[in-house]
């Protein structure tokens, strides 16, 4: 049976459409992997571009805020003042130099600042305050040479001569003169006091002249005139010479040669023995005690012209009194003496320092008891002086056992009023000239 033309044409059309569909389907199947790979590569390139963009953005932010990285320091907590107080001045300056002040970042008004931002603001204010404090401290501690004015010269010379120490020396000399037997000679007393004061001023001025490099390292002595440059060394030596020559002349020709010789000996002992020995051995304390014991002996020899047992008794009292006085003082100045390079018992032999102070507190009781035996005072003096001697001995014992600043301070301040009161009691109980050697009490 023959096919109709219509049927044949429909079959040909269906075959052609199927072939086209088959061709397109095969072509699509072959192109899918290439298209997928192309699409994957395009997406991969876009992802890498986005990653680089993120990295560049991060680098830009880091470079823009580089100074924020300098705030990272290991600190317990952001507190301003204690961290500056606990560190030394050099460490604080080093930390301040590493940190740079930052302007407080502006916060948007639409949100509240969180805790991290508040800490950053507080740390920025701390850095600025630290820099200001460092500048003020540097300005305050900057050493400046002082200019000499004529109006300030008397005060400068008074500090150069250690006027308070000189007043103590003159008072002990006056006590020795008053306790000596015989009538009280006012012109001789005035010459003795003036000559002793001038000799003391000369010795103290020469002492400061020799100790300028060492005094500059100590807080107690760093403001002395020669250290600050208020006067020149030539002026200091000239002042010492102008005090020593007339002082020794008054004691030698105005009083007697024995007193003048003691004055020269004391100046030599203080300037040429005690002063250099302070940096060599602890024996300087004993030598210095001899220097302090000579002035009452000079007062006694000025009144009597001879060295008697009473003169050595007064010298012994001053000698023993200086150990609790100076050892207690040096105990609180151990750091200063170490910086100055001075060899003191309180620094190198602290146990010996306390033991010697207690030993000489007990010696004061024995010397007070020996005063009536040597016909210097009546027997009333050991009795009425016993309470103050026992009190200073008690403080010396506390200083020996406690070994702290509090006990040393109490002993030092007690020594300041103990010596004047002890000498005043001796003057009150002085044996009259007619009763010497007879053992009789003074008549009221």
């Amino acid at each position: 049976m023959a096919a109709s033309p219509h049927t044949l044409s429909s079959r040909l059309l269906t075959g052609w459409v199927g072939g086209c569909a088959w061709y397109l389907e095969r072509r699509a199947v072959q192109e899918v992997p290439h298209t997928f790979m192309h699409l994957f590569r395009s997406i991969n390139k876009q992802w890498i571009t986005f990653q680089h963009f993120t990295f560049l953005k991060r680098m830009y932010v880091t470079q823009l805020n580089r100074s924020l990285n300098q705030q990272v320091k290991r600190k317990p907590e952001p507190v301003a003042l204690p961290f500056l107080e606990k560190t030394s001045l050099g460490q604080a300056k080093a930390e301040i130099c590493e940190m740079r002040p930052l302007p407080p970042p502006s916060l948007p008004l639409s949100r509240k600042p969180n805790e991290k931002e508040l800490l950053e603001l507080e740390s920025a204010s701390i850095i600025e305050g630290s820099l200001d404090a460092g500048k003020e401290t540097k300005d305050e501690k900057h050493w400046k040479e002082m200019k000499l004015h004529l109006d300030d010269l008397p005060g400068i010379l008074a500090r150069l001569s250690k006027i308070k120490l000189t007043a103590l020396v003159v008072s002990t000399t006056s006590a020795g003169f008053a306790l000596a037997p015989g009538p009280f000679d006012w012109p001789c007393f005035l010459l003795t006091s003036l000559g002793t004061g001038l000799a003391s001023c000369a010795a103290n001025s020469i002492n400061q002249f020799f100790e300028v490099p060492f005094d500059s390292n100590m807080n107690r002595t760093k403001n002395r005139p020669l250290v600050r440059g208020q006067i020149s060394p030539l002026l200091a030596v000239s002042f010492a010479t102008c005090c020593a020559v007339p002082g020794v002349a008054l004691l030698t020709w105005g009083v007697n040669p024995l007193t003048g010789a003691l004055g020269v000996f004391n100046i030599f002992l203080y300037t040429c023995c005690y002063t250099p020995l302070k940096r060599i051995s602890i024996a300087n304390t004993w030598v210095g005690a001899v220097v302090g014991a000579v002035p009452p002996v000079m007062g006694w020899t000025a009144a009597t012209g001879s060295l008697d047992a009473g003169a050595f008794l007064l010298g012994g009292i001053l000698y023993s009194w200086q150990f609790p006085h100076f050892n207690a003082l040096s105990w609180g100045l151990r750091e200063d003496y170490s910086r100055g390079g001075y060899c003191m018992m309180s620094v190198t032999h602290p146990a010996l320092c306390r033991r010697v102070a207690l030993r000489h507190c007990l010696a004061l009781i024995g010397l007070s008891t020996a005063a009536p035996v040597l016909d210097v005072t009546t027997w009333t003096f050991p009795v009425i002086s016993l309470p103050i001697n026992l009190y200073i001995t008690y403080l010396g014992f506390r200083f020996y056992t406690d070994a702290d600043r509090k006990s040393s301070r109490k002993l030092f301040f007690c020594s300041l009023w103990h010596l004047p009161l002890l000498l005043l009691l001796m003057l009150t109980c002085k044996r009259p000239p007619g009763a010497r050697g007879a053992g009789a009490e003074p008549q009221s």
Side-chain angles (χ1 to χ4, degrees):
M1 180 175 178
S4 62
H6 179 72
T7 304
L8 183 61
S9 61
S10 61
R11 286 182 179 178
L12 291 173
L13 178 63
T14 304
W16 182 79
V17 171
C20 291
W22 175 80
Y23 175 80
L24 292 175
E25 184 179 38
R26 183 181 178 183
R27 181 74 179 270
V29 170
Q30 291 177 355
E31 292 293 330
V32 163
H34 298 284
T35 305
F36 179 77
M37 291 299 298
H38 179 72
L39 180 62
F40 176 77
R41 288 177 181 176
S42 301
I43 295 174
N44 191 27
K45 289 181 180 179
Q46 293 176 359
W47 177 77
I48 293 174
T49 305
F50 178 78
Q51 184 183 23
H52 278 275
F53 175 77
T54 306
F55 174 76
L56 292 175
K57 180 181 178 182
R58 189 185 302 115
M59 289 295 295
Y60 173 77
V61 174
T62 305
Q63 292 294 330
L64 185 63
N65 300 323
R66 179 185 294 178
S67 56
L68 290 175
N69 297 331
Q70 297 181 3
Q71 292 185 8
V72 180
K73 298 185 72 66
R74 291 184 293 176
K75 296 187 290 185
E77 54 184 10
V79 182
L81 292 178
F83 124 84
L84 286 177
E85 292 174 356
K86 292 180 181 179
T87 56
S88 63
L89 183 60
Q91 294 175 350
K93 287 183 178 179
E95 292 177 359
I96 289 170
C97 292
E98 291 177 2
M99 297 182 292
R100 298 170 59 186
L102 296 175
S106 59
L107 297 176
L109 299 176
S110 59
R111 62 183 181 89
K112 295 182 179 180
N114 54 22
E115 184 179 359
K116 182 178 180 181
E117 292 170 339
L118 290 176
L119 288 177
E120 290 177 356
L121 288 173
E122 186 176 357
S123 62
S125 62
I126 291 170
I127 296 170
E128 293 177 358
S130 302
L131 286 173
D132 295 338
K135 291 179 181 178
E136 292 177 0
T137 305
K138 185 178 180 181
D139 293 338
E140 291 176 358
K141 293 184 177 297
H142 183 65
W143 188 88
K144 296 180 180 179
E145 186 175 356
M146 304 295 293
K147 299 297 182 181
L148 178 61
H149 300 284
L150 292 179
D151 297 339
D152 301 331
L153 187 59
I156 293 173
L157 295 179
R159 287 188 287 122
L160 179 66
S161 59
K162 301 179 184 178
I163 195 64
K164 294 181 180 180
L165 180 60
T166 299
L168 178 62
V169 170
V170 173
S171 64
T172 56
T173 305
S174 303
F177 190 94
L179 285 169
F184 194 87
D185 188 357
W186 277 102
C188 183
F189 171 76
L190 294 176
L191 290 175
T192 303
S193 301
L194 181 60
T196 305
L198 290 174
S200 177
C201 290
N204 292 329
S205 301
I206 298 174
N207 171 261
Q208 289 194 37
F209 170 78
F210 284 139
E211 293 184 342
V212 170
F214 313 99
D215 288 343
S216 61
N217 296 323
M218 299 174 59
N219 291 328
R220 188 172 67 97
T221 57
K222 66 182 181 181
N223 290 321
R224 285 180 173 176
L226 282 172
V227 178
R228 295 296 302 274
Q230 291 178 303
I231 59 174
S232 64
L234 179 60
L235 179 57
V237 173
S238 302
F239 173 74
T241 305
C242 293
C243 290
V245 172
V248 173
L250 286 175
L251 292 175
T252 304
W253 290 285
V255 183
N256 55 61
L258 178 59
T259 306
L262 287 175
V264 173
F265 170 74
N266 217 27
I267 293 175
F268 171 80
L269 193 64
Y270 187 69
T271 59
C272 299
C273 297
Y274 170 71
T275 298
L277 200 60
K278 288 167 67 176
R279 296 181 296 276
I280 299 174
S281 171
I282 62 173
N284 69 84
T285 306
W286 283 268
V287 176
V290 174
V291 174
V294 171
V297 178
M298 293 173 59
W300 185 282
T301 58
T304 62
S306 61
L307 284 171
D308 302 328
F312 290 104
L313 173 68
L314 290 175
I317 290 176
L318 264 295
Y319 179 83
S320 292
W321 171 84
Q322 287 178 90
F323 286 96
H325 172 76
F326 180 75
N327 287 12
L329 173 65
S330 64
W331 189 267
L333 299 173
R334 287 177 293 175
E335 295 83 0
D336 252 8
Y337 283 123
S338 298
R339 283 193 295 268
Y342 294 120
C343 189
M344 296 296 174
M345 271 192 292
S346 59
V347 178
T348 59
H349 301 76
L352 179 63
C353 176
R354 303 192 308 272
R355 189 165 58 248
V356 169
L358 177 60
R359 186 184 304 159
H360 284 274
C361 287
L362 294 170
L364 288 173
I365 300 177
L367 291 171
S368 299
T369 307
V373 177
L374 299 176
D375 290 336
V376 178
T377 64
T378 64
W379 283 98
T380 308
F381 171 69
V383 177
I384 63 176
S385 64
L386 185 62
I388 62 173
N389 287 333
L390 287 177
Y391 183 67
I392 195 173
T393 303
Y394 165 74
L395 294 181
F397 177 75
R398 290 294 302 272
F399 174 56
Y400 174 74
T401 55
D402 296 345
D404 56 0
R405 291 180 182 272
K406 182 178 179 181
S407 58
S408 66
R409 194 180 302 112
K410 286 185 176 181
L411 179 60
F412 171 72
F413 284 113
C414 175
S415 67
L416 293 179
W417 58 261
H418 176 271
L419 180 63
L421 184 57
L422 186 67
L423 294 177
L424 182 62
L425 292 176
M426 290 187 73
L427 287 173
T428 305
C429 301
K430 176 185 175 180
R431 188 183 295 276
R436 290 183 180 274
E441 294 291 333
Q443 299 178 359
S444 56

